[in-house]
Amino acid sequence: MAKDTQGYDVFHLRQANSADLLRNYEIWRTAVEATHHFLDAANRETIGKMVAEEYLPNAEFTVAVNDHDLPHAFLGTTEHHVDALFVHADSRGMGLGRLLLDSFRAGKDAVTVDVNEQNPDATGFYERLGFKVTSRSELDDQGRPYPILHLRWDRPKG
């Protein structure tokens, strides 16, 4: 693996392709297992099936890949909104979420994201990067009892 001048692994961003589908599902699955302890088994299975069969094959993603072109994280967006940001459990803490998010925020004045309230790792990540909670929904977008925090980042003035 290539290293930068400080000894960190070097990752590159590219658009995902169909060959990434199984790896992106593995990224999603390991990330959820590491951070979404609040999901019961039935909902995890239902959501996993929807992610594998409907979301991943049909959405566009940016992936963070190593020098062997293996994705370690992916980002899905719509206009100025982050729809999905997942980092493989084995790759957490390597700066991949920040790399993807900073690339997406470049040239934008505002970005929004929705986060499960019961996922404090994600909330903390976004807050460290300047996002602020703007509102809360009691249910997720499928009507399940998983409260959602709505966050917004505004480019600093000046």
Side-chain angles (χ1 to χ4, degrees):
M1 181 83 192
K3 305 282 186 187
D4 68 10
T5 57
Q6 296 175 322
Y8 293 105
D9 293 337
V10 175
F11 290 88
H12 306 280
L13 302 182
R14 66 167 171 79
Q15 288 304 115
N17 58 54
S18 59
D20 298 323
L21 188 59
L22 289 176
R23 176 64 178 183
N24 284 347
Y25 180 75
E26 179 183 342
I27 291 167
W28 177 86
R29 183 185 51 75
T30 66
V32 167
E33 288 171 356
T35 61
H36 290 60
H37 307 292
F38 56 90
L39 288 176
D40 62 39
N43 276 320
R44 185 176 297 160
E45 185 175 329
T46 299
I47 295 167
K49 184 176 165 77
M50 185 275 302
V51 167
E53 295 176 3
E54 297 172 32
Y55 184 57
L56 292 176
N58 296 305
E60 292 185 15
F61 300 100
T62 300
V63 290
V65 298
N66 64 13
D67 56 359
H68 299 290
D69 200 41
L70 179 70
H72 285 251
F74 69 83
L75 172 74
T77 62
T78 305
E79 297 178 6
H80 290 229
H81 184 77
V82 174
D83 299 318
L85 175 56
F86 290 94
V87 177
H88 194 286
D90 294 341
S91 303
R92 291 180 70 198
M94 299 175 78
L96 299 177
R98 177 186 282 266
L99 176 67
L100 285 160
L101 192 58
D102 284 351
S103 174
F104 177 64
R105 291 192 298 184
K108 293 179 178 59
D109 290 328
V111 171
T112 58
V113 65
D114 297 333
V115 178
N116 289 102
E117 183 177 62
Q118 296 128 311
N119 185 351
D121 290 346
T123 304
F125 166 77
Y126 286 109
E127 287 177 338
R128 284 190 301 280
L129 294 178
F131 284 76
K132 306 279 187 233
V133 175
T134 59
S135 62
R136 178 184 184 273
S137 299
E138 192 63 34
L139 305 174
D140 72 7
D141 60 355
Q142 300 295 311
R144 293 178 293 249
Y146 302 119
I148 300 294
L149 298 175
H150 308 284
L151 294 90
R152 179 183 170 102
W153 169 84
D154 291 296
R155 178 169 302 289
K157 306 287 188 241

